[in-house]
Every structure is written in structure tokens, then in C-alpha cells.
Amino acid sequence: MSIELRLGRAPDAEKAAEILHEFHSSTGWIAQYDDLPETLKFCAIMIARGWMTVASLNGKFAGFLAKENNYVHALYVRSCARGQGIGHRLLRHAQMQEMSLDLWTFQRNHAAHRFYMREGFQATERTDGLHNDGGLPDVRFQWARGALL
């Protein structure tokens, strides 16, 4: 098994959008607020801004992490590639670049909570979701190199 990371390029927007759209479509508690063309635009913007790191598993697009400075906008792995260390590698790569990382995830995304806590993040804030795109209660996770939050 070979996981390779690289900076996202314009042609990667379509595959990233497929992964993001797949997650939203297969998660019953997330409102479908973006269709595939809107999701594609969002992914293209993240790539154009230089935020996206792409992970390939055995040469095939398997996931991505989008980060602006120390803020993680998105971390998604294709469903068939989960559990193979791709999310871990993407997050470790981001952690090596920053002294701290900050992100939000929905409160109902328990798998994400377990993942981030295994990776050294701590839940530091909870909201009712009134200020996020999905309108769902969310949790802020933070990580700092060598420090307890």
C-alpha cells in the first residue's frame, strides 16, 4: 500500500467534489445544501487558493485536506479508502506545517470526533449551529504542538 501526498491541481477538483458530495449524500443527517456543480466550484476555489493537499492510494485519488494557514476547512477520504491511514497522513502533514490547527465538525459526526481525538485534538467549543452552512450543532477541535489546550 502506497500513500502519496501532493498539492492539489485544477484537475483534482472533480475527484475532490465527488468525495465531498458522496459524503453529504450518504449521511442522512446532513441537509443537501450543495449540488455537485456547486461542490465542484467550492473544491476548485480551495485548489486555486493553494489550500488543498491530495492523497493518492496506489496511484488513485483517495482523499484531501484543505487548510488555510492553521485552519482546516475540509478533510475527506473516499469511503472505500477509509481505515487505511490516509486521513492520518493528511493530518500529520498539516501538523508538521503548523504549530496549531483549528477545525469544526458537526456534533453528530462521531467518527470524526474519535479520529481527531486519536490525533491529539481536543474539543474546545460547542455551538447550536446557527452560524454554519448546514445549520447543525457543531464542535470546534483544536490541536497545539506540545501543549495541552
Side-chain angles (χ1 to χ4, degrees), residues 75-139:
L75 171 56
Y76 290 90
V77 175
R78 193 177 298 282
S79 61
C80 63
R82 291 185 192 137
Q84 299 184 53
I86 295 163
H88 170 79
R89 284 282 304 276
L90 284 164
L91 200 53
R92 280 289 176 254
H93 180 72
Q95 288 171 318
M96 291 185 334
Q97 296 173 343
E98 307 293 340
M99 293 300 293
S100 65
L101 292 175
D102 190 8
L103 61 90
W104 289 86
T105 187
F106 294 121
Q107 286 186 25
R108 290 187 67 181
N109 193 345
H110 302 293
H113 297 195
R114 288 188 301 273
F115 171 74
Y116 290 121
M117 291 172 72
R118 272 194 320 266
E119 299 298 324
F121 284 72
Q122 292 183 8
T124 59
E125 183 179 354
R126 294 179 182 273
T127 77
D128 56 12
L130 291 178
H131 302 290
N132 66 47
D133 292 340
L136 295 169
D138 53 5
V139 181

Side-chain angles (χ1 to χ4, degrees), residues 14-94:
E14 187 174 340
K15 290 188 180 356
E18 288 170 3
I19 291 172
L20 186 52
H21 189 70
E22 172 198 28
F23 177 78
H24 286 177
S25 297
S26 66
T27 306
W29 47 265
I30 293 181
Q32 299 303 307
Y33 53 89
D34 283 339
D35 59 12
L36 190 53
E38 285 299 312
T39 304
L40 178 58
K41 266 193 238 179
F42 174 65
C43 290
I45 289 168
M46 291 189 294
I47 290 170
R49 292 180 178 170
W51 297 352
M52 190 178 289
T53 300
V54 168
S56 295
L57 177 63
N58 299 324
K60 294 184 179 184
F61 192 107
F64 68 93
L65 183 143
K67 179 181 74 66
E68 177 185 19
N69 300 315
N70 76 324
Y71 184 75
V72 177
H73 287 274
L75 171 56
Y76 290 90
V77 175
R78 193 177 298 282
S79 61
C80 63
R82 291 185 192 137
Q84 299 184 53
I86 295 163
H88 170 79
R89 284 282 304 276
L90 284 164
L91 200 53
R92 280 289 176 254
H93 180 72

Side-chain angles (χ1 to χ4, degrees), residues 100-101 120-124 140-149:
S100 65
L101 292 175
F121 284 72
Q122 292 183 8
T124 59
R140 181 181 192 178
F141 280 91
Q142 295 180 300
W143 169 86
R145 185 174 303 171
L148 295 176
L149 299 172

